[in-house]
Amino acid sequence: MRPSPLDRKVLRDLWRMKLQALAIALLIACGVSVAVMSFSAQRALAQAQARYYAETRFADVFAQAKRAPLSLARELAQIDGVTAVDVRISAAGLMHVPGLTRPATARLISLPTAEEHALNRLRLTEGRLPDPGRTDEVVALKTFLEAAHLKLGDRLNAVIGGRAYAFTVVGAALSPEYVYVPAPESFMPDDAHQGVFWAPRAAVERAGGMTGAFNTVAATVAPGASTGAVLRDLDRILAPYGGRAAYARADQPSNNFLEAELKELSTSASVLPPIFLIIAASLVHLVVTRLVEAEREQIGLLKAFGYGDAEAAAPYVKLAMAIGLVGALAGGLAGAALGASIVEQYRRYFRFPVLNVTFHWEAFAGAAAVAIAAALIGSLLAVRRAAGLSPAVAMQPPRPAVYREGLLDRLTKGGHVDQATRMIVRHLERFPGRAALSTVGLAASLSLLVGTQFMFDSLDKVVEQAYYRTQSWSEQVGFEEAKAIAGVAEVARLPGVLAADPTRVVAARLKGGGREELTRIIGLPADPRFQHPLDGADRPVPFKGDGIILSEALASRLGARQGDRIWVEVIDGRGPKSLVTVTGLTRDYSGFATYMERRALNRLMGEGDVANGAQLLVAADQRPAFYRAIEAIPQIVGASSRDETVAAWRLAMAEAFRVTISFYVGFAGAIAFGVAYNTLRISFSERARDLATLHVLGFGHGECAYILAGELAILAILAAPLGVLGGQALAHGLGAAYSRDEVRLPAVITLQSYGVAFSTYFAAVLLGGVLVTRRIWGLDLVAVLKTRE
């Protein structure tokens, strides 16, 4: 079917304005692609999570005890609302892994005796389950085997629960409890040093000395039942057996991190696309307005030949729709590719048996509809003008512009400003609305560049504050149980240890302001050498009596201020409860730190001078000998290195944000290019006759290019401070949106990040400027200077 004359006009206009249209479509594509990418990745993760949790019967609540008899399982199963209970043994220790200098943590978990009733089932990926009749076979977490470069059949030696345990790896498995495995001193994974193994119950009973007992509980809760009530009942029943605070699935470390990631994807999908679409709508408005102005004579002819108002305006509506449609389709394709890239990256951190790439058709349809609507809204005013033109008025030449002397004209009078510069200033003064829109668009691109670059700076600040300003230890060890302070002195005598500070860490529930938070209280010496709680001005916060020091974020949640008294319910030991005064507030960005003086914490616990860990300064050249020494100490069940933790953290962050930041830099550059190119292209179309006249009068090509591009240069410079302010505001907003319990992002932007942002910004503006100004050298003076009749 042959298209109508008006439709052919639309096609011709699109071809003639192809670069302008593509620049706007590029912005629309950016907005649509972010939405499609985020929602597609979110759906892929959510589907994999739901499918895996259902398949493995992932529990709803979890609890721990020091040692509870197996007969107690029946009482736990009778808790109102509980539908299934699985009790197991979990024991931890250290082990040497060939190829690793630092010993790895070995966590041995008992397999269920009745698989059909088990919760948190394993998904075997390789090999087989251990022979129930053998006590030296285990199935290992797949991520550990891969990271530690181990294979099936390898034999390992560990000290678990104070007992030597030698075992052979016969299988690799995935577990819903370990979809994501954070390191003890960081929320980033350290798979090579986090060994998780499952063995028959008899083997774990013997290794952990837990015959006829259990120390971990997992349970499912009936739909509609109160999880809070179940948690309270679990705490009550397990309290006599050294029970620790029961917690819901939302607080389970692996699930908690996964949920936070899903929330971040929603944030990305809701924050960024509107920026692109608003700017695209503004550009559509500028382009279609200029087109209507240039074609008013054609509009008048159409109406004179009998076309109605709607028919005369239809080509401009279709033009806007076509730009929106092209941008939406390109955005859908780009979003699908980016979503696949993000999911591929997730496969490295979230270990699901199946994590398929999915395309979120609903998100694409919604984003495409919004994008096309934005383009139509942008063209609305221009279309109304086209529809309202009467044939007689439209066929008259446009009224010459009225030039009045403005403020800028008066400022640029005299010989200190050349003629070409005065032309630039006068043109800007003539179209203030257009200049303002272009400035806002350019400022938005710079804001996005500055606002997204802050993430690297912010994470550097978190690392510096958490691991270098607040803490200065090189190694940290944890004991299986609290031991007399003399035990720390033994550790201080190990090879390479230069100094040691004893620590006491207990789990506690803090209550205040009608809220409660589960956290850890870190007991430090009164005058600590390796860890100093710091306030907002980086000054050490001193311990005062039996008071407690809270992080500002945790105090805010509890509605507590310095001097207030809050309830502290310790979960470890005998579970003491006490009102404690808040004697200081710290500013930290990772977790919710809570501190007490170690002896004061021990008094609260009703215990003597004990410690369950130590922070150490170990000579760098003696660390291998130190690691070999602690592997042989049964009481040490955990070890971490600050340098290795920070290195792994930086590597993981760099990998995680490299792709994301690359997207944002590309998108922001697209905005700057799109705005710059369209601003200059419109100006060139309007001033081609003027520029040709100037050339005939003796102005060179370079001077004409300066008159044309100078306007863009001024707008780009004016937009710079606005972009910086917008970037800082965006950094604060993104910092708040992306912050989670594990890490809170401060809005810090370094000079290096500003340099990257400004370089990208001006490069994109320069590219747009060069593509347009090069047309001056190809001007057809005869055609341009023809007099309009």
Side-chain angles (χ1 to χ4, degrees):
M1 186 176 67
R2 184 179 175 80
S4 69
L6 291 182
D7 289 341
R8 291 203 297 275
K9 174 186 179 324
V10 173
L11 293 175
R12 281 198 303 270
D13 286 342
L14 277 172
W15 178 251
R16 182 166 50 87
M17 301 165 53
K18 50 186 177 297
L19 281 180
Q20 278 180 276
L22 285 175
I24 300 172
L26 180 62
L27 296 182
I28 294 174
C30 289
V32 173
S33 64
V34 171
V36 172
M37 172 192 71
S38 301
F39 282 120
S40 295
Q42 185 187 47
R43 171 175 284 185
L45 276 183
Q47 287 180 343
Q49 178 193 37
R51 188 165 47 236
Y52 189 39
Y53 283 4
E55 173 193 332
T56 56
R57 300 187 71 201
F58 189 45
D60 297 311
V61 295
F62 304 82
Q64 293 178 323
K66 189 172 181 181
R67 183 190 181 97
L70 275 175
S71 57
L72 197 67
R74 286 194 295 274
E75 185 176 352
L76 296 175
Q78 290 170 358
I79 293 176
D80 189 25
V82 169
T83 54
V85 170
D86 193 346
V87 295
R88 301 191 189 186
I89 304 170
S90 175
L94 294 182
M95 67 177 173
H96 174 72
V97 178
L100 297 183
T101 304
R102 181 162 58 90
T105 299
R107 179 165 297 283
L108 190 62
I109 302 171
S110 63
L111 286 166
T113 51
E115 177 65 20
E116 63 275 15
H117 300 301
L119 303 179
N120 309 331
R121 293 172 176 167
L122 297 182
R123 170 75 175 259
L124 196 66
T125 60
E126 190 180 0
R128 60 176 174 82
L129 289 173
D131 185 338
R134 299 192 60 170
T135 58
D136 64 342
E137 292 184 347
V138 302
V139 59
L141 189 65
K142 181 182 179 184
T143 53
F144 166 71
L145 292 183
E146 291 176 351
H149 305 294
L150 295 173
K151 59 184 184 301
L152 302 189
D154 283 348
R155 193 162 180 83
L156 295 170
N157 296 290
V159 177
I160 295 178
R163 299 168 178 82
Y165 182 62
F167 55 88
T168 302
V169 179
V170 298
L174 296 174
S175 164
E177 292 183 271
Y178 299 98
V179 171
Y180 181 85
V181 191
E185 301 301 328
S186 160
F187 68 92
M188 297 309 298
D190 181 14
D191 294 331
H193 293 90
Q194 302 294 310
V196 184
F197 308 95
W198 289 264
R201 181 177 179 82
V204 188
E205 280 185 340
R206 194 168 69 176
M210 297 281 289
T211 303
F214 68 88
N215 59 7
T216 64
V217 180
T220 53
V221 179
S226 169
T227 301
V230 171
L231 295 177
R232 286 191 291 274
D233 286 342
L234 281 170
D235 284 344
R236 176 179 54 78
I237 295 171
L238 293 173
Y241 305 97
R244 299 180 177 178
Y247 53 91
R249 179 191 287 182
D251 293 321
Q252 201 268 341
S254 170
N255 180 77
N256 181 282
F257 197 92
L258 183 55
E259 291 292 338
E261 194 64 33
L262 290 170
K263 179 185 171 188
E264 280 186 7
L265 288 171
S266 293
T267 301
S268 298
S270 57
V271 171
L272 297 176
I275 296 175
F276 293 101
L277 296 182
I278 289 172
I279 295 173
S282 303
L283 288 178
V284 169
H285 169 73
L286 289 175
V287 170
V288 178
T289 299
R290 181 257 158 196
L291 192 62
V292 168
E293 195 62 35
E295 295 183 349
R296 51 185 287 134
E297 188 178 335
Q298 295 179 27
I299 296 170
L301 281 172
L302 287 173
K303 290 193 171 183
F305 278 108
Y307 285 95
D309 292 348
E311 290 171 302
Y316 306 102
V317 175
K318 291 179 179 177
L319 182 74
M321 286 183 64
I323 293 173
L325 189 60
V326 169
L329 291 174
L333 293 173
L338 295 176
S341 174
I342 291 287
V343 169
E344 184 59 36
Q345 193 176 22
Y346 282 150
R347 287 197 181 102
R348 304 174 60 182
Y349 296 103
F350 299 115
R351 300 308 179 108
F352 290 108
V354 180
L355 179 55
N356 291 325
V357 176
T358 60
F359 184 79
H360 202 302
W361 287 101
E362 296 88 340
F364 170 66
V370 172
I372 295 171
L376 288 176
I377 291 171
S379 66
L380 199 59
L381 287 177
V383 169
R384 283 185 60 188
R385 183 181 300 176
L389 281 173
S390 67
V393 174
M395 295 177 68
Q396 292 177 0
R399 186 181 302 172
V402 177
Y403 281 94
R404 295 189 179 90
E405 188 178 65
L407 175 62
L408 294 177
D409 279 326
R410 290 193 289 274
L411 291 176
T412 54
K413 268 186 176 179
H416 62 288
V417 178
D418 62 80
Q419 194 174 16
T421 303
R422 288 204 301 276
M423 290 182 190
I424 295 170
V425 171
R426 193 175 299 136
H427 194 260
L428 285 173
E429 208 167 27
R430 182 186 173 195
F431 300 105
R434 182 191 300 172
L437 272 178
S438 300
T439 304
V440 169
L442 291 168
S445 69
L446 184 56
S447 297
L448 191 58
L449 283 165
V450 172
T452 50
Q453 285 293 313
F454 103 98
M455 287 187 182
F456 286 119
D457 302 328
S458 184
L459 290 169
D460 283 341
K461 173 71 175 177
V462 171
V463 171
E464 181 189 1
Q465 183 77 8
Y467 294 105
Y468 292 104
R469 288 184 180 275
T470 304
Q471 306 181 58
S472 57
W473 49 269
S474 64
E475 311 294 324
Q476 187 165 254
V477 296
F479 305 134
E480 184 181 16
E481 294 182 348
K483 56 193 301 185
I485 200 68
V488 177
E490 295 176 11
V491 175
R493 290 193 288 273
L494 293 176
V497 177
L498 303 175
D501 265 358
T503 57
R504 179 79 166 105
V505 181
V506 300
R509 186 176 283 122
L510 308 186
K511 296 182 177 179
R515 298 196 60 177
E516 64 178 54
E517 292 291 336
L518 193 61
T519 184
R520 296 189 314 160
I521 301 177
I522 303 172
L524 298 174
D527 186 18
R529 286 176 286 188
F530 302 127
Q531 187 165 4
H532 302 275
L534 301 176
D535 64 12
D538 282 351
R539 296 169 303 196
V541 181
F543 293 111
K544 296 179 182 177
D546 292 344
I548 192 169
I549 298 172
L550 303 180
S551 72
E552 291 178 347
L554 180 58
S556 175
R557 284 198 175 192
L558 297 174
R561 294 178 298 180
Q562 189 169 341
D564 289 350
R565 290 167 68 80
I566 61 172
W567 272 106
V568 175
E569 295 182 4
V570 178
I571 296 159
D572 293 333
R574 291 179 296 179
K577 302 177 184 178
S578 179
L579 266 175
V580 179
T581 303
V582 178
T583 57
L585 299 178
T586 66
R587 178 167 297 175
D588 47 32
Y589 304 108
S590 182
F592 293 124
T594 306
Y595 304 94
M596 287 183 72
E597 195 274 319
R598 185 179 58 82
R599 288 189 174 86
L601 179 57
N602 282 334
R603 284 194 293 275
L604 176 65
M605 298 287 293
E607 298 174 345
D609 193 10
V610 298
N612 60 357
Q615 295 172 343
L616 311 169
L617 182 62
V618 179
D621 59 344
Q622 294 290 312
R623 286 177 189 171
F626 168 76
Y627 294 142
R628 286 194 297 273
I630 62 174
E631 286 175 10
I633 300 177
Q635 292 80 15
I636 295 179
V637 296
S640 56
S641 163
R642 185 185 64 163
D643 292 346
E644 289 188 18
T645 299
V646 172
W649 207 90
R650 287 189 188 281
L651 179 63
M653 281 291 103
E655 290 180 353
F657 283 97
R658 178 172 49 80
V659 177
T660 307
I661 296 298
S662 299
F663 292 161
Y664 292 152
V665 169
F667 291 164
I671 292 181
F673 170 76
V675 174
Y677 182 83
N678 275 287
T679 299
L680 212 53
R681 187 67 182 83
I682 292 170
S683 182
F684 176 74
S685 299
E686 292 174 345
R687 304 176 70 185
R689 183 184 177 84
D690 300 337
L691 294 170
T693 303
L694 289 172
H695 189 49
V696 170
L697 291 176
F699 280 73
H701 285 121
E703 288 175 294
C704 291
Y706 170 68
I707 293 171
L708 182 65
E711 179 182 333
L712 177 64
I714 291 175
L715 295 179
I717 293 171
L718 289 176
L722 296 176
V724 170
L725 292 175
Q728 291 175 345
L730 184 61
H732 279 89
L734 291 176
Y738 286 115
S739 289
R740 53 176 75 170
D741 289 353
E742 296 87 356
V743 58
R744 292 171 293 284
L745 298 175
V748 180
I749 306 171
T750 63
L751 289 177
Q752 182 181 358
S753 294
Y754 278 122
V756 172
F758 274 103
S759 300
T760 308
Y761 169 70
F762 282 114
V765 171
L766 183 63
L767 177 62
V770 169
L771 287 177
V772 177
T773 52
R774 67 186 173 88
R775 290 170 176 263
I776 289 177
W777 277 263
L779 269 177
D780 183 348
L781 298 181
V782 176
V784 172
L785 292 175
K786 280 183 180 175
T787 303
R788 294 177 187 171
E789 298 295 340

